[in-house]
């Protein structure tokens, strides 16, 4: 039976998403006791104690289905952002929100404009959905080229995705740049701003686009609980947009797509904004520690607003990542993200994890 004949060409051409290696796999394969994972832009800190307590509490009712409408979380997010509850779309991670946008909006022959290199899920999802992706190269300083993206829009463009700050470069686009883009792009094109790393940003001219929703009915803002809030394993993120748009997107959401532990944990996060601010401060200090250490080793580090650093390597990034792996440090070579063999992405770890990474790099480069 030729199963391949059954599938759309876009599916056959797609290479599956390859996540960063889990710690247990590296321990098993290399026989190492201590392994440091700096590969998936996770927060190295565990969830806050109040969040863990809320999860334990919610676990007692795991025999029940989750609240399919996620009433409490939807209302808490609406209140946080000053929008109507109907403006909130919850996802099984913000990944699912991006997926829903592409699947719901794009018909064969239409396209989605995004910057590249960026988050691998954009080309992957577009690839399996009518091969609708239209990548636009970044600027020379590794940022989304918003004017070039506006130029790439045509009458068949349904969606334009801005990753801000961008994964894997850590760079960002300013308030003025985003305002110009929204003024230039026709209102019939949905502009999704993926702000997975929003809370980590320390730059003053970074936009809070969630405040612009009233002025721009074609704007969708995506956020997640996976990163700064340390809930990557639970899978909960959301989109904010015009209620008429969100109403249609809701139809593509699977029933119970956000599980009950995730709902309880996200609610506990929202109850403590001071904890989020403290997490951002701790990350900024550790990001500085890691960046300074890498630069002291002679490596070129792209200035980052996130919890990861893009590092350009003098030789093969794959070889360097492999040598680090053998010393128990998992980082991410950037092939999959379209950066060839010249760059590594290193997530910001705890102080001692950063130190272990720098020590291993020092040994290798010597
Ligand atoms: C830019 C960007 N958007 C979205 C996501 C997905 O996050 P989530 O865990 O909410 O699906 C990631 C995760 O790495 C990311 O880097």
């Amino acid at each position: 039976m030729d199963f391949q004949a059954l599938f759309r060409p876009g599916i056959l051409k797609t290479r599956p998403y390859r996540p960063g290696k889990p710690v247990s796999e590296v321990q098993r394969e290399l026989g190492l006791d201590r392994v440091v994972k700096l590969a998936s832009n996770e927060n190295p800190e565990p969830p806050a104690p109040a969040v863990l307590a809320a999860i334990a509490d919610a676990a007692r009712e795991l025999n029940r289905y989750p609240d399919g409408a996620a009433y409490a979380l939807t209302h808490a997010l609406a209140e946080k952002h000053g929008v109507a509850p109907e403006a909130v779309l919850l996802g099984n991670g913000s990944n699912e929100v991006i997926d829903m946008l592409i699947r719901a909006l794009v018909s064969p022959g239409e396209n989605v404009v995004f910057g590249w290199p960026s988050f691998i899920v954009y080309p992957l999802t577009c690839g399996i959905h009518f091969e609708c992706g239209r990548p636009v190269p970044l600027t020379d300083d590794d940022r989304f080229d918003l004017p070039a993206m506006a130029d790439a829009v045509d009458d068949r463009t349904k969606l334009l995705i801005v990753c801000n700050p961008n994964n894997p470069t850590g760079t960002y686009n300013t308030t003025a740049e985003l305002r110009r883009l929204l003024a230039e792009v026709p209102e019939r094109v949905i502009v999704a701003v993926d702000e997975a790393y929003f809370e980590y940003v320390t730059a003053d001219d970074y936009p809070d686009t969630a405040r612009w929703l009233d002025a721009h009915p074609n704007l969708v803002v995506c956020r997640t609980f996976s990163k700064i809030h340390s809930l990557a394993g639970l899978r909960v993120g959301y989109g904010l947009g015009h209620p008429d748009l969100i109403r249609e997107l809701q139809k593509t959401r699977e029933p119970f797509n956000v599980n009950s532990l995730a709902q309880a944990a996200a609610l506990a996060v929202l109850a403590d904004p001071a904890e989020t601010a403290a997490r951002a401060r701790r990350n900024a200090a550790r990001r500085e520690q890691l960046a300074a250490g890498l630069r002291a080793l002679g490596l070129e580090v792209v200035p980052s607003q996130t919890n990861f650093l893009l590092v350009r390597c003098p030789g093969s990034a794959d070889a360097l990542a492999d040598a680090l792996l053998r010393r128990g440090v998992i980082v991410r070579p950037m092939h999959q993200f379209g950066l060839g063999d010249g760059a590594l992405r290193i997530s910001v770890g705890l102080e001692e994890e950063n130190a272990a990474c720098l020590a291993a790099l020092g040994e290798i480069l010597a």
Side-chain angles (χ1 to χ4, degrees):
M1 168 92 183
D2 179 10
F3 285 112
Q4 299 226 326
L6 300 176
F7 290 95
R8 290 195 302 271
I11 306 231
L12 298 176
K13 277 188 226 162
T14 297
R15 299 226 185 115
Y17 179 73
R18 267 183 292 135
K21 271 181 185 274
V23 168
S24 54
E25 186 181 318
V26 175
Q27 282 174 325
R28 206 170 47 240
E29 282 180 1
L30 297 175
L32 295 168
D33 285 338
R34 182 177 153 77
V35 171
V36 172
K37 185 182 179 205
L38 304 176
S40 299
N41 301 346
E42 295 150 341
N43 192 329
E45 300 179 14
V51 174
L52 291 174
I55 293 169
D57 206 33
R60 280 198 275 264
E61 283 206 58
L62 277 177
N63 54 314
R64 305 284 174 203
Y65 281 101
D67 172 3
Y71 181 91
L73 180 56
T74 300
H75 280 72
L77 285 168
E79 194 183 321
K80 170 183 162 71
H81 292 292
V83 299
E86 294 75 22
V88 179
L89 175 68
L90 285 170
N92 184 243
S94 58
N95 233 318
E96 194 194 14
V97 175
I98 296 161
D99 189 70
M100 286 188 268
L101 281 164
I102 295 171
R103 277 192 292 123
L105 291 169
V106 179
S107 299
E110 296 176 334
N111 65 73
V112 175
V113 171
F114 53 83
W116 187 251
S118 186
F119 187 39
I120 187 80
V121 160
Y122 312 149
L124 263 182
T125 308
C126 288
I128 61 175
H129 195 73
F130 309 125
E131 302 179 70
C132 63
R134 183 172 283 190
V136 174
L138 302 188
T139 59
D140 289 341
D141 58 351
D142 298 301
R143 299 176 332 111
F144 263 45
D145 190 341
L146 302 188
M149 288 172 68
D151 284 348
V153 168
D154 64 17
D155 57 3
R156 314 229 66 192
T157 303
K158 275 299 185 60
L159 176 66
L160 181 148
I161 306 174
V162 181
C163 188
N164 198 31
N166 186 37
N167 174 13
T169 56
T171 53
Y172 73 105
N173 290 95
T174 65
T175 301
E177 289 169 341
L178 254 296
R179 279 201 190 284
R180 210 171 304 133
L181 176 80
L182 283 163
E184 252 177 70
V185 170
E187 228 174 50
R188 63 172 171 78
V189 177
I190 301 301
V191 176
V193 188
D194 181 350
E195 299 180 342
Y197 303 94
F198 176 89
E199 298 85 354
Y200 286 119
V201 176
T202 44
D204 291 337
D205 55 353
Y206 173 72
D208 185 354
T209 52
R211 292 168 184 264
W212 301 358
L213 291 162
D214 280 346
H216 297 283
N218 60 330
L219 176 64
V220 173
V221 178
C222 303
R223 302 261 178 98
T224 182
F225 289 88
S226 294
K227 303 297 178 178
I228 200 159
H229 307 303
S230 302
L231 292 176
L234 271 187
R235 315 302 303 126
V236 51
Y238 60 99
L240 303 171
H242 192 284
D244 293 347
L245 175 74
I246 298 298
R247 187 178 312 115
E248 299 309 316
L249 291 168
Q250 293 281 16
K251 297 178 189 170
T252 69
R253 196 167 64 86
E254 279 184 25
F256 313 117
N257 66 331
V258 179
N259 69 73
S260 43
L261 303 187
Q263 291 185 33
L267 268 171
V269 162
L270 294 178
D272 191 359
E275 167 68 16
T276 304
R279 286 168 167 256
R281 283 194 297 276
R282 293 195 291 270
N283 175 73
R286 296 191 300 245
R287 179 171 72 200
E288 191 43 45
Q289 171 210 4
L290 184 61
L294 291 165
R295 290 191 179 111
L297 290 169
L299 294 165
E300 184 191 332
V301 181
V302 177
S304 169
Q305 289 291 320
T306 60
N307 65 335
F308 56 85
L309 298 172
L310 186 72
V311 183
R312 300 212 192 276
C313 304
S316 158
D318 283 359
L320 194 53
D322 202 50
L324 280 168
L325 193 65
R326 284 169 202 294
R327 287 167 172 80
V329 181
I330 317 174
V331 299
R332 199 78 169 265
M334 288 285 94
H335 269 314
Q336 248 197 124
F337 287 71
L339 280 162
D341 193 20
L344 286 181
R345 193 190 64 198
I346 307 182
S347 305
V348 174
L350 298 172
E351 228 175 281
E352 60 273 21
E353 293 175 327
N354 294 337
C357 173
L358 291 168
L361 269 172
E363 273 176 39
I364 297 162
L365 294 172

